[in-house]
Amino acid sequence: MKRFKIVLISLLILIIGYFGFKIFFLYYYNVDNMNVENYKDIINGLKIKDKITIKSETLNENEYLTFKNMKVKNDFKDFKLLENNENQDFIKYALYDENDKVKASFWMGITESYVDMFRKDVTIFGMNDKIIKNTDISDFLDENNINSDIELFSYLQENKNNKNNIFTSIKHMKENYILNFLVAVALPEISSVTLIDGDYDGYIFNLKGDFKEVSIIKNNKRYIFTFLKLDYFTDEYIKEILNTIVID
């Protein structure tokens, strides 16, 4: 009888210790602490709903607008070049109406893919988290074979309903925390994603608001073309411009 009590007490201690251990990590990897109020909207917006195919058109050299190793048809001769001291990797143009209001705006620039930025230093997004280290994110991306932005968006879509509870393994608690962290630090709220294929690969963020952000992926870089004021830059006109892109 005494031995039975000892076994029972030992078992209770193990159970209490186990659940205490899990409760600690459930609190430690508490995704609610990030306060990503629009998390579901961001994730739902990453769904690919359309696709366009780029067929490159060669123009005369004097017909291009050139920035770094990017070229595009220069339909912006009536646009004003804006001062941009904050980021030398982007150039911005704006077209004004007779009342000096912005009628349309076009930006182009170069940055890294989201996946590459996450691998290097997430603090560049202006948010630091003592729980998550860069090596944690790199390991997470490697373990789930996430090597491109599109693969990242697809993974986020497939796992958007993951929640931590006391029965979740600690490994998956951490993964779910990382998912929320990536969304919190970098991804914008968009309506949908348009996939780009053909002579160039990439995607378009159809953002909530009056603009689209085009990302052409080449040489592990994002070559970005942003179109503001969609009554001026229609889908047909944007595609026409994209067909003239040249990236060396």
Side-chain angles (χ1 to χ4, degrees):
M1 187 67 178
K2 184 177 180 180
R3 180 176 294 179
F4 175 76
K5 287 182 179 180
I6 293 173
V7 171
L8 182 60
I9 292 171
S10 298
L11 184 60
L12 286 172
I13 291 172
L14 287 172
I15 292 172
I16 292 171
Y18 171 78
F19 281 103
F21 184 71
K22 294 297 289 288
I23 289 170
F24 168 80
F25 279 100
L26 188 60
Y27 175 79
Y28 188 71
Y29 293 123
N30 184 2
V31 297
D32 293 333
N33 289 338
M34 285 185 239
N35 295 318
V36 191
E37 296 180 0
N38 55 346
Y39 177 83
K40 287 186 177 180
D41 291 333
I42 294 173
I43 297 298
N44 289 335
L46 294 174
K47 186 174 182 179
I48 297 172
K49 291 188 176 180
D50 201 0
K51 182 175 73 172
I52 66 169
T53 300
I54 290 181
K55 296 180 179 179
S56 296
E57 302 174 7
T58 303
L59 307 177
N60 294 325
E61 197 62 33
N62 61 359
E63 296 182 85
Y64 285 112
L65 172 65
T66 302
F67 178 67
K68 295 185 181 291
N69 63 328
M70 315 162 62
K71 293 192 294 188
V72 69
K73 182 182 179 183
N74 190 3
D75 272 6
F76 312 102
K77 295 177 182 177
D78 294 329
F79 285 58
K80 180 181 178 181
L81 177 64
L82 304 178
E83 290 187 14
N84 184 27
N85 298 323
E86 58 193 43
N87 192 337
Q88 299 304 311
D89 288 326
F90 279 81
I91 193 168
K92 300 179 180 181
Y93 293 87
L95 177 67
Y96 295 91
D97 63 16
E98 61 275 9
N99 298 314
D100 207 31
K101 292 184 178 180
V102 176
K103 183 178 179 180
S105 188
F106 172 73
W107 308 352
M108 58 192 295
I110 307 171
T111 188
E112 295 180 284
S113 68
Y114 284 105
V115 169
D116 284 346
M117 285 191 286
F118 288 145
R119 287 184 184 279
K120 290 183 178 178
D121 184 8
V122 293
T123 61
I124 64 174
F125 296 105
M127 182 174 176
N128 196 10
D129 192 302
K130 295 179 180 179
I131 296 176
I132 299 298
K133 301 176 182 178
N134 281 89
T135 53
D136 293 326
I137 297 177
S138 294
D139 291 343
F140 166 77
L141 295 171
D142 289 339
E143 288 174 6
N144 292 286
N145 296 315
I146 300 172
N147 299 299
S148 69
D149 288 352
I150 293 297
E151 289 174 350
L152 174 63
F153 303 156
S154 296
Y155 186 90
L156 291 170
Q157 276 278 313
E158 292 168 4
N159 296 275
K160 64 183 178 181
N161 295 318
N162 289 2
K163 300 291 183 182
N164 288 343
N165 59 60
I166 201 167
F167 299 106
T168 307
S169 70
I170 294 171
K171 181 178 183 295
H172 286 126
M173 283 186 189
K174 186 175 183 178
E175 286 188 350
N176 292 337
Y177 187 89
I178 289 174
L179 285 178
N180 280 262
F181 178 76
L182 298 183
V183 172
V185 299
L187 296 176
E189 186 174 345
I190 61 179
S191 299
S192 64
V193 175
T194 299
L195 190 66
I196 296 173
D197 66 6
D199 292 329
Y200 287 101
D201 295 319
Y203 54 87
I204 301 173
F205 278 168
N206 303 301
L207 290 120
K208 291 188 175 181
D210 203 15
F211 64 108
K212 292 177 183 283
E213 182 185 271
V214 178
S215 292
I216 301 298
I217 306 299
K218 186 175 181 180
N219 305 323
N220 296 320
K221 298 287 185 182
R222 270 201 308 148
Y223 294 85
I224 300 176
F225 303 84
T226 305
F227 301 88
L228 293 86
K229 303 295 183 180
L230 300 182
D231 54 344
Y232 182 91
F233 289 115
T234 63
D235 288 345
E236 293 78 14
Y237 187 27
I238 289 174
K239 184 176 181 180
E240 178 185 324
I241 293 173
L242 295 182
N243 284 336
T244 69
I245 287 173
V246 177
I247 300 173
D248 297 326

